[in-house]
Every structure is written in C-alpha cells, then in structure tokens.
Amino acid sequence: MLVVDFGAQYAQLIARRVREAHVYSEIVPHTITAEEIRARAPKAVILSGGPSSVYADGAPQVAPGFFDTGVATFGICYGFQAMARALGGTVARTGTAEYGRTALQILDEGLLFKGLPLEQSVWMSHGDAVSEAPPGFAVTATTGSTPVAAFEDQGKGLYGVQFHPEVLHTAQGQEVLKRFLYEGAGCRPTWTTLNVVEEQIEKIRAQVGSGRVVCGLSGGVDSAVAAALVQRAVGDQLTCVFVDHGLLRKGEAEQVERDFVASTGVQLRVADASKRFLDALAGVTDPETKRKAIGREFIRVFEEEARAIESDGHVEFLVQGTLYPDVVESGGGSGTSTIKSHHNVGGLPDDLQFSLVEPLRALFKDEVRAVGLELGLPEVIVWRQPFPGPGLGIRIIGEVTQDRLEILREADAIAREELSRAGLDREVWQCPVVLLADVRSVGVQGDGRTYGHPVVLRPVSSEDAMTADWTRVPYDVLATISTRITNEVREVNRVVLDVTSKPPGTIEWE
C-alpha cells in the first residue's frame, strides 16, 4: 500500500498505522504520476494530510488521471479535500477552523464506520472544509462546524475523512483504517514479523549467494539485528567487525563483545581505531562534516579489515543497519528535502568498495526490535537505547577531543544508570546527553566560582523514530541525575532539560 505524502507531519505515522494492521506500506511523494501508480500496482493508496490550502496557487494536487487507475483510495484531511476538489466537489474556507478533539456524528455507517459508535471523538486540524461532496459520493459523517466530515463511493473504492484516524486521539481511528484496508481495498493482514524474517532471509541469500560479507557493529540494536538476520541467512560467510572508534558510551565495547557474540556465535573482529577517528575529527565543528568524516573512516576501517579477512576469500558485501526513518530523513523516502545525513545513508564515500546489504531498510524501529526478538536476540540487546553510528561524536557541540569525550561519557553513564534504577528503561525510548562543549556557564561549586560546561538531557519517547515527544521524567529522578552529574563530573556545572518534540526538533542535536 502507498501513502502519498502531501507534506504532512503525520505521513510517516499513517504508514506506521497501516503496518500495525499487518499491511505493508511505503511513502511516496505527491508528484507520483498515474503511470507510476499503475506500474507499482498497489492494492490501495492513502492521500495524506498537508499544510496547504487545496485552492491556493502552487498547492500540491492529485496527479492527473490518478482516479482513473482504479486503485482503492482513502483521503485524509488535505488528501480528503484534494480528492473532493479533483472529483467535482467544493472546498472552501468556512471561517470556522477545527483543531484538536472534536465530536463526530455518523450519518451513515457505510463501510468506514460499520459497527462503530454513532458519535466518536476525533482529532481535527484544518481551516478549510469540504462544503459539497463530489457527485456520486454519500456523506457519512459530520461535525458541528464541518458538514462533510467523511464521504465514500463504495462502487469506485473511494473514501475520505476530514479528521486524522492515524493519531491516538481519534478513538476509533485504527478501526476506520482497518475497514478501508480490509474491506474497501481487499488487503490481507500478512505483514508479520515472521514473514519479514523469512522474506529478508530469502532476499539476503539471493543477493549474497556464496559471497563473503562483513558487518560493522556499532553497539546499537540496528546493526545487531541486521547482523543476526544476515548470519541466519548465510552463516559463516559473515564476519562482524566491531570498530572501537573511541566515540562509544561507557562500557559499550565490552558489552557488545560479551552479549552479541554469546547470543549469536558470530565471528567477530575488534578494531581499535580511536586515535584514527580523533585525528579525523580534529578541528571539525560542523555537524554534517563530522558525520561524513565518521562515515568515511568507518568504511576505510572496514576496507582494511576486509583485506585482512580476504585470506579466506574475497569480501564483496557490507551489511548496514539502515532503517526506513533513516532513508526518509536523508531525502530518499518521500521526495522531501534532506533533514540530516545519516552515517549509513548520506555519509558513505563515493568510492565505496562494497555492495550494500540493508535488510532493515523498509522497517521502523519497533519493527526492528520485534525482528530481533524473533531471531532470539536477548532483551539486553533488543531493548538497548538507540545509539547513532557516529556515537558521542554528534553529541558534542563543538570539536571532539579526548577530554570532552570523557566528560560526556561519564555524564551519559550517570543518566542511563539513574533512568534504569527508576524503572524507566521502556518508558524512555532514549535519552541522549549532549555536551555543549563550546559553551561555558558560571556556577558555584565548593564555595568557589566555576566556569564549566552545561550538558543537556534529551529524554524522548517514540514508537518509530519519525515522531517523538519528550518524556515527562519524574522531577526526583531528574534531580538525582543533575546532582550526580554536577558532583561527579567536575567539568560540568549545569544540567538542562530539552522539552522539544519531534517535529520540530530532531532527536539528536547534530
């Protein structure tokens, strides 16, 4: 199933909700043509919301000929209005906007609301409204300010709602989506973790054949699950390379060597390249330059390790733990602009000497965890807080030095230890600790004036990494973390809390 992205902040969430209904989904740009739709032959299409007014100059529209493809289509918010306008309905600014929770009255159960309550709480976010449905459509729901809040033409497989069924604030939203997917579009709920594992194993075997493979373990769950999948597919053809780039969290190198090898039996080589990475980062302060430098050095180390491994045969393939959010944020998923380069998407050198194997490229983070559990990886690996490939190098604002890394490593260890002690490991999806290395703040420690560094706590909760909210960590836990950091890490005299959601902020600061 395809989600056509009209610029909505929730386009990725729509795709995620579809997958929760066990139907595979991908995001495509609104510029996709009717011919491209026919070529891809999806079972269904969802038109996402968006920030524009459909009648404004330059506003994105449904592609000409789209509704002649015969594909079952569901319009949401802006997509609902774009559908109405393209098919002869009327969209206008009514003067009464609706934002937030709204009472929806069902006029006709039709297909979308069959068996659901006749009054529902839904989430609205619009200033325009459909005032007249297109010819042949039945109006199935209304609100106090929106006379046409839902419509459908079952004969043509076309459906639409003004509200957002993908958000949890819409009480029956997932049920509405399921009715469209299963009954309106005839999709089958076959997208399961076991099927993902089996499908990827087949793809890996087909791609790799008898070739040799290397995988760089970063210390995070993504590379661990990717490596476990590849090993399940090709066994001893895989050798994992753990690069200790000196940018890891405290105790992480030892944990990877102990836990991952014990659970998989994989062949592991450890390369200590910390000095090499520090030399490459010397004097570098620009975030994108950091990411590209770290990505470049990773690949160079892999190439050297591969040459050392090649006494047993040529190494042709490199495993990457690329996820779907990485692809989308790097500009490769929906035709949108690049938010940031990911080390395994935008940070690879042009003269890469390997063919990439990316078994997780179509998955969201929670799906990766489910795959890890299906493969038998221990929970200590599967539920480890996500950690970016560039490591602490992108959690230091300013130049990366050995001294600054030690400061951040200690502060990070304290934060993780106290969150675990408070039983918040599952509630707090991850908590990056950021060192503002180029900032100094006045403080008082030991009855004396200090001029130390601030650190930022960034606790966030998320299902899929595409959207996130800051976690409301209890004040007493925050107080303990702050007190311990300022007492035990002498270079830090101030701890601050980042309370920005995503969007507008990303999870990492760089």
Side-chain angles (χ1 to χ4, degrees):
M1 200 223 72
L2 300 179
V3 177
V4 177
D5 183 4
F6 283 104
Q9 61 175 321
Y10 294 133
Q12 293 82 17
L13 185 55
I14 295 171
R16 183 66 195 91
R17 294 292 180 243
V18 171
R19 293 188 185 190
E20 285 180 1
H22 303 297
V23 175
Y24 179 67
S25 62
E26 290 184 6
I27 301 168
V28 295
H30 71 268
T31 53
I32 190 168
T33 65
E35 290 73 23
E36 289 169 329
I37 292 288
R38 288 192 182 92
R40 298 194 62 166
K43 290 283 290 185
V45 170
I46 293 180
L47 307 177
S48 84
S52 304
S53 292
V54 292
Y55 47 76
D57 291 341
Q61 304 294 337
V62 180
F66 174 88
F67 294 108
D68 296 327
T69 62
V71 178
T73 303
F74 184 34
I76 294 175
C77 194
Y78 183 92
F80 170 66
Q81 297 171 8
M83 176 189 289
R85 191 166 188 263
L87 294 173
T90 303
V91 181
R93 184 168 295 276
T94 62
T96 304
E98 283 181 315
Y99 297 100
R101 284 188 176 87
T102 304
L104 181 79
Q105 286 78 43
I106 308 303
L107 303 175
D108 178 354
E109 284 189 347
L111 182 142
L112 295 182
F113 304 109
K114 185 178 180 181
L116 298 180
L118 296 181
E119 183 167 319
Q120 304 174 19
S121 177
V122 300
W123 190 261
M124 289 284 196
S125 180
H126 69 99
D128 300 332
V130 177
S131 57
E132 184 178 350
F137 278 73
V139 177
T140 57
T142 186
T143 73
S145 301
T146 304
V148 183
F151 58 42
E152 56 187 64
D153 184 338
Q154 292 189 42
K156 295 181 179 179
L158 303 177
Y159 307 84
V161 296
Q162 181 61 68
F163 58 89
H164 288 273
E166 72 275 17
V167 303
L168 296 178
H169 300 301
T170 295
Q172 303 293 332
Q174 190 68 1
E175 292 302 315
V176 170
L177 276 174
K178 286 180 178 179
R179 280 159 175 73
F180 166 69
L181 293 169
Y182 301 159
E183 300 176 38
C187 296
R188 297 176 57 199
T190 57
W191 174 254
T192 65
T193 302
L194 179 59
N195 287 345
V196 170
V197 170
E198 293 174 345
E199 178 183 315
Q200 287 304 318
I201 286 174
E202 290 180 7
K203 287 183 176 180
I204 293 165
R205 287 173 177 164
Q207 179 184 3
V208 171
S210 60
R212 296 293 306 280
V213 191
V214 292
C215 175
L217 292 176
S218 68
V221 63
D222 304 337
S223 62
V225 174
L229 258 178
V230 173
Q231 192 201 35
R232 180 71 63 88
V234 298
D236 290 343
Q237 293 170 235
L238 170 69
T239 300
C240 287
V241 178
F242 179 67
V243 178
D244 186 353
H245 52 20
L247 308 174
L248 298 169
R249 295 173 288 196
K250 187 175 182 178
E252 191 140 44
E254 297 80 5
Q255 187 181 48
V256 170
E257 291 185 59
R258 181 184 66 246
D259 296 333
F260 186 73
V261 173
S263 62
T264 64
V266 74
Q267 299 181 74
L268 179 68
R269 293 177 61 93
V270 179
D272 183 357
S274 54
K275 183 180 185 304
R276 175 175 182 160
F277 279 83
L278 279 173
D279 289 346
L281 292 169
V284 178
T285 59
D286 177 70
E288 282 293 283
T289 305
K290 281 186 189 178
R291 286 178 176 271
K292 291 182 183 299
I294 294 169
R296 181 186 65 244
E297 293 306 316
F298 252 106
I299 294 302
R300 296 303 175 234
V301 173
F302 285 147
E303 290 171 344
E304 292 169 9
E305 292 298 319
R307 283 194 287 271
I309 295 168
E310 284 193 329
S311 58
D312 296 328
H314 175 64
V315 176
E316 182 181 352
F317 298 96
L318 170 65
V319 179
Q320 289 277 53
T322 311
L323 304 192
Y324 197 43
D326 299 340
V327 176
V328 173
E329 289 193 344
S330 297
S334 63
T336 56
S337 60
T338 300
I339 297 172
K340 61 185 177 184
S341 293
H342 287 260
H343 70 286
N344 50 2
V345 180
L348 299 177
D350 294 333
D351 59 345
L352 180 67
Q353 297 181 16
F354 303 107
S355 297
L356 292 181
V357 178
E358 298 176 300
L360 310 180
R361 189 179 177 89
L363 302 183
F364 289 98
K365 177 71 76 172
D366 57 325
E367 293 170 327
V368 171
R369 294 192 194 282
V371 168
L373 294 173
E374 182 72 33
L375 292 168
L377 292 179
E379 290 196 0
V380 69
I381 292 177
V382 172
W383 290 103
R384 177 184 291 142
Q385 281 195 10
F387 189 59
L392 299 180
I394 59 169
R395 292 182 179 176
I396 293 175
I397 309 303
E399 182 184 5
V400 178
T401 68
Q402 186 63 49
D403 289 343
R404 290 174 171 182
L405 283 167
E406 290 304 322
I407 293 169
L408 180 54
R409 196 171 279 123
E410 292 301 318
D412 173 84
I414 290 169
R416 288 188 291 127
E417 181 180 328
E418 292 301 329
L419 289 171
S420 294
R421 182 173 293 153
L424 296 173
D425 283 337
R426 297 291 178 90
E427 181 179 344
V428 179
W429 181 61
Q430 62 172 302
C431 184
V433 178
V434 182
L435 175 65
L436 304 184
D438 287 345
V439 176
R440 294 277 184 165
S441 104
V442 176
V444 178
Q445 291 171 300
D447 296 326
R449 183 177 184 273
T450 62
Y451 199 48
H453 296 291
V455 296
V456 180
L457 304 180
R458 175 74 166 130
V460 294
S461 299
S462 176
E463 290 185 359
D464 51 34
M466 295 306 306
T467 59
D469 193 14
W470 66 279
T471 310
R472 276 63 169 176
V473 177
Y475 289 153
D476 59 336
V477 178
L478 291 173
T480 301
I481 293 173
S482 177
T483 299
R484 281 197 59 193
I485 289 176
T486 53
N487 284 347
E488 298 175 30
V489 187
R490 62 181 182 81
E491 298 88 352
V492 175
N493 66 355
R494 193 178 299 269
V495 177
V496 300
L497 180 67
D498 184 344
V499 296
T500 313
S501 63
K502 175 188 179 181
T506 57
I507 291 172
E508 301 291 346
W509 274 46
E510 289 203 334

